[in-house]
């Protein structure tokens, strides 16, 4: 309240802090019942190696088409990053679908990618081909796949965008998690105004995972009406101060160059807050970097961030709750929120993903895991044949009513051979935005695991050269592992 800048939040921070994927599943599901499907434009897509989500279909499962995917912004993989950013800037978009020579899905690139993979690495936008920095073969869904599974996949994997195809493989749209959230809330608000109980039914599950009470009742009423006030009463919602505690902030001065700003943003994966004499004077996000700097070919090392920032952004108090922050983001279509004290001092910035991970606590996450495992549909994960290894395997007595590890939807593993260098492993993890690699032996069996923490502790701290250090010499050898058929709860307890 004194104007001190605390930080910034975006819509994903708040989604995670208010129930996570399973909490929002019922909200989205009810919203999809509220009206008809809008047909989207189609571009024929030939064969591609993108990861396609496949779920068992049920007659009462609503498809991805109910989410009204946005029309895709397309560009060929031979185009330059400059051409892509100029096209996105002209169409006010933040993600482009990249196609191969035959028109198939080759990749996706977002405003965030431009900052992290082009600006931060000092690449020239005009001479860098988009195929060199895009996310190749991205996960995608079909218009006929279950909508709630697509949304859960986006939240669990922190995907802001997800390409959509029809059953023949034609690219027909892009799902934007922020748009899905806004659409769902808007539909439920209209439904509530008409006296429908759809919204009330939708929040019952979410209320069991996360909520607010007391002073937050008014905010909840403004968001989804009296139904939320009743559903969330008696529970506590985390504040943005709690979410930001102990986290570094991306604060720059008005004179900081775009190159320096981009490096800081890339490291923190957050928008930059521009602060002058202790007061928040501007904000500069990933989309700003793409459309205002890269697309206009500004010299990044000579341009001050103050010349392209958004001046005098709105900010919120650190005592704002997650639900209140969600309401502000929805009403103003914000993706992030700066957080400042009453005296004007800057605390930081939050987004929706921060809020999700900050919610629930041990019991809250137990509820989320339990709800997720009760879902009928299981995501199929990629499999790599593993031969004999000496890793420690968890074995528990199986019961007919014990849900297996497969219900936890394990992520696709990032694999590397034990003869690779630490440098090769870290470069692979960086390109795939991963934090742990599974190390295999010559026969393809499980040999070990290495995480980002291991790299710092076992390589950097010991002053080893990443390029000449073999990963097998610093990995955790023969790690504990589980089978897809083992007890999920036993696996979770073992990890905790």
């Amino acid at each position: 309240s004194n104007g001190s800048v605390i930080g910034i939040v975006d819509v994903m921070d708040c989604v995670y802090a208010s129930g996570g994927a399973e909490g929002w599943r019922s909200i989205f599901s009810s919203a999809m019942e509220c009206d008809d499907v809008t047909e989207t434009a189609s571009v024929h897509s030939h064969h591609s190696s993108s990861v396609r989500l496949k779920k068992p279909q049920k007659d009462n499962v609503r498809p991805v088409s109910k989410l009204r995917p946005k029309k895709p912004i397309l560009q060929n993989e031979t185009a330059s990053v400059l051409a892509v950013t100029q096209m996105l800037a002209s169409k006010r978009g933040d993600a482009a679908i990249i196609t191969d020579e035959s028109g198939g899905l080759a990749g996706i690139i977002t405003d965030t990618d431009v900052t992290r993979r082009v600006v931060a690495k000092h690449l020239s936008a005009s001479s860098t081909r988009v195929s060199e920095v895009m996310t190749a073969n991205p996960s995608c869904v079909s218009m006929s796949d279950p909508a709630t599974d697509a949304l859960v996949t986006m939240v669990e994997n922190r995907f802001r965008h997800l390409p959509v195809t029809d059953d023949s493989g034609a690219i027909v749209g892009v799902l934007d998690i922020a748009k899905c959230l806004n659409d769902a809330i808007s539909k439920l608000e209209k439904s509530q105004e008409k006296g429908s109980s759809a919204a009330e039914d939708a929040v019952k599950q979410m209320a069991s995972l996360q909520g607010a009470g007391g002073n937050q009742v008014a905010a909840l009423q403004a968001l989804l009406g009296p139904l939320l006030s009743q559903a969330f009463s008696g529970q506590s919602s985390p504040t943005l101060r709690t979410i930001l505690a102990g986290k570094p902030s991306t604060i720059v001065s008005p004179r900081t160059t775009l190159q320096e700003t981009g490096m800081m943003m890339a490291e923190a994966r957050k928008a930059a807050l521009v602060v002058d004499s202790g007061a928040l004077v501007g904000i500069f996000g990933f989309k700003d970097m793409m459309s205002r700097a890269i697309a206009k070919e500004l010299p990044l090392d000579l341009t001050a961030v103050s010349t392209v920032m958004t001046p005098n952004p709105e900010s919120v108090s650190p005592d704002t709750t997650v639900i209140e922050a969600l309401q502000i983001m929805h009403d103003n279509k914000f993706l992030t929120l700066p957080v400042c004290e009453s005296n004007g001092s800057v605390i930081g910035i939050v987004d929706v993903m921060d809020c999700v991970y900050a919610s629930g606590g041990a019991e809250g996450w137990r509820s989320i895991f339990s709800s997720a495992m009760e879902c009928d549909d299981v995501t199929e994960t990629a499999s790599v044949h593993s031969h004999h290894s000496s890793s420690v395997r968890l074995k528990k007595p199986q019961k007919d009513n014990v849900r297996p590890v497969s219900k936890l939807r394990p992520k696709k593993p990032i694999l590397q051979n034990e003869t690779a260098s630490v440098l090769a492993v870290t470069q692979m993890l960086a390109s795939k935005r991963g934090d742990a690699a599974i190390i295999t032996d010559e026969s393809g069996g499980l040999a070990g695991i290495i995480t980002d923490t291991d790299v710092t502790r076992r390589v950097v701290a010991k002053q080893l050269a990443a390029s000449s250090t073999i990963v097998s010499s610093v990995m955790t050898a023969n790690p504990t592992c589980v089978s897809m058929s083992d007890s999920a709860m036993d696996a979770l307890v073992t990890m905790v």
Side-chain angles (χ1 to χ4, degrees), residues 454-466 469 473-474:
D454 297 331
V455 171
T456 298
R457 295 181 61 248
R458 301 173 185 175
V459 181
V460 177
K462 295 187 177 181
Q463 301 182 5
L464 300 179
T469 301
S473 65
V474 291

Side-chain angles (χ1 to χ4, degrees), residues 76-81 84 98 109 128-134:
N76 189 271
E77 62 183 350
T78 60
S80 68
V81 173
V84 174
I98 309 303
I109 188 168
T128 301
R129 288 176 49 159
V130 69
S131 59
E132 299 172 18
V133 292
M134 69 183 184

